[in-house]
Amino acid sequence: MQKVTQLSIASYSGENRRKIKFFRLFIYFIMALLCSLSSPMIAVVPGIAASSPPIVKEIANPASLLQQGKLLYDAGKFSEAVQVLQQAVKEYQTQGDRIKQAATLSNLSLAYQQLGAWQEAQKAITDSLNLLKVEQNSQNLQIFAQSLDIQGRLQLATGQAEAALATWQQAAKIYTQLKQENGVVRTLINQAQALRSQGAYLRSVEILEEAHQKLQSQPNSLEKAVGLRSLGDSLLAIGDGKKSEAVLQQSREIAKSLPSNAELGAILVSLGNNARTQQNKAGAIAYYQEAVQLSPSPLTKVQAQLNLLSLLIEDKQLSTAETLLPAIQSQLAQLPPSRASIYAAINFAQSLNKLTTPNSQLPTLVQTRLIASLQLTTAIQQSRNLGDQKTEAYALGSLANLYEQAQNWQEAQKLTKQALVLAQTNNAPEIAYRLEWQLGRIFWAQKDLKKAIAAYDGAVGTLNSLRRDLVAINQDVQFSFRDSVEPVYRESVELLLQSQAGKADHKILDKARQRIEALQLAELDNFFREACLLGQSVALDQVVDKDNPNAAILYPIILPQEIQVIVKIPQKPLQHYSTQIPQAEVNKVLVELRRNLVSPTALNAVKTQGKQVYDWLIKPIESQLPENKVNTLVFVLDGALRNLPMASLYDGKQYLIEKYAIALSVGLQLLNPKPLEKQQLRALTAGLTEPPPSFPNFSPLPAIKSEVGLIAKAGVSTTNLLDAEFTQKALAKEVNQVPFNILHLATHGQFSSRAEDTFILAADGAINVKQFDNLLRTRDETKPEPVELLVLSACQTAAGDNRAALGLAGAAIRAGARSTVASLWQIDDQSTAIFVGDFYQQLQSKKVTKAQALRHAQLQLLQHSSYKAPSYWSAYVLIGNWL
């Protein structure tokens, strides 16, 4: 659960006590101000309406009103823009100018959308389109297409992705008819967003490729620079960082040649975001700093500085970060009120909160929180002045978080509830789930577990409804999966288990294990930057007690102060047990064990550390397993445990693999295990003995030919692609033409926590995990026969990446194979050949499960005089269907 800082006056010196008292007085002042802000009565200067637009000194014509409305909209003053545009609509209606009335109504709909006034926005855009349908000429068609653009935005914002896609496709046809390529490109980028929100990743990529091609054929212009920047941002959102960078660099060169420093500044911010996503922190810092120097836009300057500030805080460069504070604070004060400036102020306050830790020096703590409080209070006031309830919800929630950190539970709870009502009524689930999570933490801190569980359930439910949109959430909301999504699931599990008060409750345990599976699903969504995997509720009793009566399923969960294990043994209710041990100590043991496993000479250390992990996960139920005729253990692993082979756990006498067949699962929600159908095994094999010249860090694999030969010797029908024959294009061709139920890839590969760094090697270079996924999906459309087994026999997890096994799980699931066998690190290829030969001999016999075949092959190596060290046999893992 989130740590909070308590200000206790008694423990500080006289000067510091004075500062704490001042801080508390200031908090009371903020509370009083908020109470006045909550009042429905608004004090106004006599003779001036509280929320009127600037006074117009002469009667304005509709054209000037329309321009004024646009300026207000561009400044983020949406409420004032609405009033001006409403007046312009009436003027055009009086004049009988239907076309300009329709265009103004479209702009009015946009302003309403920004305010979250969805019904008003829908009426305005419907009225606009109805007016335009009466007359059809080239001028009207252009306005009609632009209005369709706006209608598509409204439909996507209100969850109608399919309707939005159809609307933008209609707009694209009109732009094509009018030969307006900029409009076509804009609608294509919008279509890609709609497709992505539906999980149609492949089609989204195709649409973006089409947009890219159209942009390339256009002459250089400001519109082309903006289009390329939008395309680059979209490519980054789907996880294609390298292509995004290339597109953004092209946009940068065009902006330089125009020249347009305003657009150049925006492009530099996008390049900074790209570099940051690709872990190039130095590059990101340089881009942000250049944006600050070049951009004439005060808002762009502030946004670049805020991104730089959050990056420095994330990188623990706190002293450097603090030097930015005065300049940011000064520039924020000079920005005119708008949604963008308010979001900037809120983000500044959030960054300030991250600078205040329990170890902060007291003067710094007090001063920083004072600044944060002032920023948020001003943001709330400005949001209300603008009538922007969505932004108000975000600001109120952030202020509530400040009270939460100060342990002022009553005020934190009140403000969080206010913010949550605003977020829910304004269709802002990306804000609502964070507020539900915050409310859960506040109730938990006050020991009200029932209300805390309800709040966490709400947060998880909102997150599940948001799955398809998480990667596209407004970046101003400082979205980070590991900071803002993963903890919701993990903390909710901790809370559920804590609520049992020492008495096992089957329903609560089942809810907790399903939530851990939901976390696995969310992690894979984040890995691929799309919600492509459909989970389903699974009756665990059916899966184990009836369908798999010899398998036990274990869910180890790493929590801040303990390891909890939920286990299902056949014919028994769910059980759980725990070991009190800090997470840092757990991770230290797991990292050391993993490092020692790779070394054939570190046998004693492997046994000692393997015994520790065995005691955490297995020992409490070790006597129950043989009693209940369990012969297979299925693990749904959490955190750093995923980088370890469970086969290597040691009970003091034997390794776990000597007693049980072992398999891994990313959750039964994604896989309902079924036995291997009795059929002829047909393998499509591809192998590479020499890595491409561009990958000099990978060693030759001379035994691969022997490995492939042993598969055929086992009686498996094979189609082979070896060395120069093994290209991405050739593999794609064979995948679509050759009948097979096993795909065996004997080549180097790497698994990483980042999809762009997860790949296998072919003769013509790396095949990225997403390209591999696309390749196999094309087969699904033409071949109904499922891929029973994917084997990746010479792969490894990325060095130094403690979440690298996420890439292995991602590759396994997205390949569409029912089961995947892979190695966590590269093994001697002679021993691999022996392992592979025995594994296929066992499978071909049709008398054993895949997990048992894997166990037999591992035991063959363990009993081999040259390969008995765990570094040779334990690296192989089976993911997915173990039957």
Side-chain angles (χ1 to χ4, degrees), residues 384 392-393 396-401 409-425 432 434-440 442-443 446 448 451-452 455:
R384 291 177 180 173
E392 182 187 345
L396 272 170
S398 298
L399 184 60
N401 179 243
W409 308 122
Q410 184 177 358
E411 196 62 25
Q413 182 177 320
K414 184 181 80 174
L415 293 177
T416 303
K417 285 182 175 180
Q418 288 179 15
L420 182 55
V421 169
L422 288 174
Q424 290 173 335
T425 56
R434 295 164 67 97
L435 294 168
E436 290 165 324
W437 174 30
Q438 186 163 288
L439 196 58
I442 293 165
F443 284 132
Q446 297 175 87
D448 191 339
K451 287 183 179 178

Side-chain angles (χ1 to χ4, degrees), residues 697-710:
N697 294 331
F698 290 103
S699 59
L701 299 170
I704 277 179
K705 291 181 180 178
S706 171
E707 178 179 330
V708 171
L710 286 170

Side-chain angles (χ1 to χ4, degrees), residues 32-309:
L33 179 57
L34 283 168
C35 289
S36 69
L37 291 178
S38 301
S39 170
M41 301 297 294
I42 302 175
V44 297
V45 178
I48 301 178
S51 58
S52 65
I55 296 171
V56 181
K57 295 184 179 179
E58 58 184 3
I59 297 174
N61 62 47
S64 67
L65 286 172
L66 185 58
Q67 180 62 22
Q68 186 183 353
K70 182 182 184 303
L71 291 172
L72 289 167
Y73 181 92
D74 289 343
K77 299 181 178 181
F78 306 118
S79 185
E80 295 176 26
V82 162
Q83 295 181 51
V84 171
L85 291 169
Q86 284 174 333
Q87 188 178 346
V89 168
K90 290 177 182 177
E91 293 289 344
Y92 283 128
Q93 187 175 16
T94 301
Q95 294 176 10
D97 192 334
R98 301 166 67 94
I99 302 305
K100 291 181 180 176
Q101 182 187 349
T104 309
L105 280 165
S106 295
N107 290 331
L108 179 60
S109 177
L110 263 183
Y112 275 133
Q113 288 178 44
Q114 291 290 352
L115 293 172
W118 307 112
Q119 290 183 349
E120 293 87 345
Q122 183 61 64
K123 184 179 186 307
I125 195 62
T126 300
D127 289 347
S128 171
L129 291 169
N130 286 338
L131 286 168
L132 291 165
K133 286 174 184 175
V134 176
E135 302 175 41
Q136 295 290 326
N137 56 48
S138 60
Q139 181 188 0
N140 297 2
L141 278 176
Q142 180 173 343
I143 297 172
F144 188 54
Q146 291 169 343
S147 296
L148 287 171
D149 274 345
I150 293 167
Q151 184 185 44
R153 287 181 55 168
L154 174 60
Q155 289 165 329
L156 189 63
T158 53
Q160 304 172 69
E162 193 171 340
L165 178 61
T167 298
W168 280 323
Q169 287 171 338
Q170 185 183 356
K173 288 180 182 177
I174 296 172
Y175 283 126
T176 302
Q177 180 182 336
L178 295 172
K179 298 181 179 179
Q180 292 191 2
E181 286 295 305
N182 286 331
V184 174
V185 169
R186 185 168 62 250
T187 59
L188 286 173
I189 293 172
N190 288 339
Q191 286 176 52
Q193 185 180 357
L195 287 162
R196 204 164 64 246
S197 71
Q198 293 177 282
Y201 169 75
L202 279 177
R203 184 68 186 125
S204 170
V205 171
E206 290 171 3
I207 290 284
L208 289 175
E209 292 286 358
E210 185 181 349
H212 190 213
Q213 291 300 319
K214 288 186 178 295
L215 279 169
Q216 296 306 314
S217 64
Q218 292 183 20
N220 286 352
S221 65
L222 182 59
E223 288 77 11
K224 182 174 181 179
V226 172
L228 285 167
R229 172 164 60 87
S230 178
L231 177 60
D233 290 340
S234 294
L235 288 166
L236 184 61
I238 65 172
D240 195 342
K242 292 179 181 177
K243 187 160 189 177
S244 165
E245 182 182 6
V247 168
L248 290 171
Q249 290 291 3
Q250 185 184 356
S251 177
R252 181 188 186 187
E253 292 306 312
I254 294 171
K256 278 183 180 179
S257 68
L258 291 175
S260 172
N261 281 352
E263 176 59 19
L264 187 56
I267 295 165
L268 288 166
V269 172
S270 290
L271 280 165
N273 296 340
N274 180 290
R276 184 174 183 176
T277 301
Q278 297 197 72
Q279 311 297 312
N280 179 8
K281 292 181 180 179
I285 289 171
Y287 284 129
Y288 292 143
Q289 289 174 335
E290 189 178 355
V292 172
Q293 293 172 356
L294 281 179
S295 178
S297 164
L299 182 60
T300 301
K301 286 179 181 286
V302 168
Q303 288 170 336
Q305 286 181 311
L306 286 169
N307 287 356
L308 177 58
L309 175 64

Side-chain angles (χ1 to χ4, degrees), residues 368-591:
T368 306
R369 283 190 172 168
L370 286 176
I371 297 170
S373 300
L374 278 171
Q375 291 288 340
L376 293 171
T377 307
T378 303
I380 293 166
Q381 180 67 72
Q382 290 179 343
S383 299
R384 291 177 180 173
N385 290 345
L386 294 174
D388 190 341
Q389 292 189 330
K390 183 174 180 178
T391 303
E392 182 187 345
Y394 187 31
L396 272 170
S398 298
L399 184 60
N401 179 243
L402 193 63
Y403 281 111
E404 179 192 359
Q405 290 189 13
Q407 294 191 345
N408 187 334
W409 308 122
Q410 184 177 358
E411 196 62 25
Q413 182 177 320
K414 184 181 80 174
L415 293 177
T416 303
K417 285 182 175 180
Q418 288 179 15
L420 182 55
V421 169
L422 288 174
Q424 290 173 335
T425 56
N426 285 275
N427 192 34
E430 74 277 12
I431 297 175
Y433 93 82
R434 295 164 67 97
L435 294 168
E436 290 165 324
W437 174 30
Q438 186 163 288
L439 196 58
R441 296 195 306 266
I442 293 165
F443 284 132
W444 194 355
Q446 297 175 87
K447 306 289 191 279
D448 191 339
L449 299 190
K450 187 175 181 180
K451 287 183 179 178
I453 288 172
Y456 270 97
D457 286 350
V460 169
T462 304
L463 271 175
N464 289 341
S465 71
L466 257 177
R467 278 188 63 207
R468 298 198 184 281
D469 302 319
L470 279 177
V471 298
I473 283 178
N474 186 340
Q475 290 188 358
D476 287 334
V477 192
Q478 291 193 339
F479 171 75
S480 162
F481 179 84
R482 293 187 67 177
D483 295 337
S484 303
V485 174
E486 183 177 339
V488 180
Y489 291 96
R490 198 172 293 286
E491 289 170 15
S492 70
V493 170
E494 182 180 2
L495 176 61
L496 286 167
L497 296 176
Q498 189 182 108
S499 72
Q500 295 187 110
K503 187 177 180 181
D505 184 314
H506 182 271
K507 288 184 178 179
I508 289 178
L509 288 176
D510 193 52
K511 186 176 180 180
R513 72 98 192 163
Q514 289 202 45
R515 197 145 290 175
I516 278 294
E517 290 200 358
L519 170 58
Q520 303 258 356
L521 194 61
E523 286 182 303
L524 288 169
D525 285 347
N526 186 63
F527 175 78
F528 283 105
R529 305 300 293 273
E530 58 161 325
C532 55
L533 305 168
L534 299 177
Q536 56 187 341
S537 180
V538 174
L540 193 57
D541 290 344
Q542 172 74 30
V543 170
V544 175
D545 293 345
K546 296 182 179 179
D547 300 338
N548 301 270
N550 300 114
I553 303 182
L554 295 93
Y555 294 82
I557 306 158
I558 302 174
L559 297 173
Q561 299 302 324
E562 63 185 349
I563 289 183
Q564 288 268 7
V565 183
I566 298 173
V567 62
K568 172 62 181 173
I569 295 175
Q571 312 306 324
K572 283 183 170 284
L574 281 172
Q575 305 175 54
H576 91 107
Y577 41 90
S578 62
T579 304
Q580 299 295 312
I581 181 169
Q583 184 174 355
E585 189 174 332
V586 170
N587 287 338
K588 182 181 177 182
V589 171
L590 298 181
V591 168

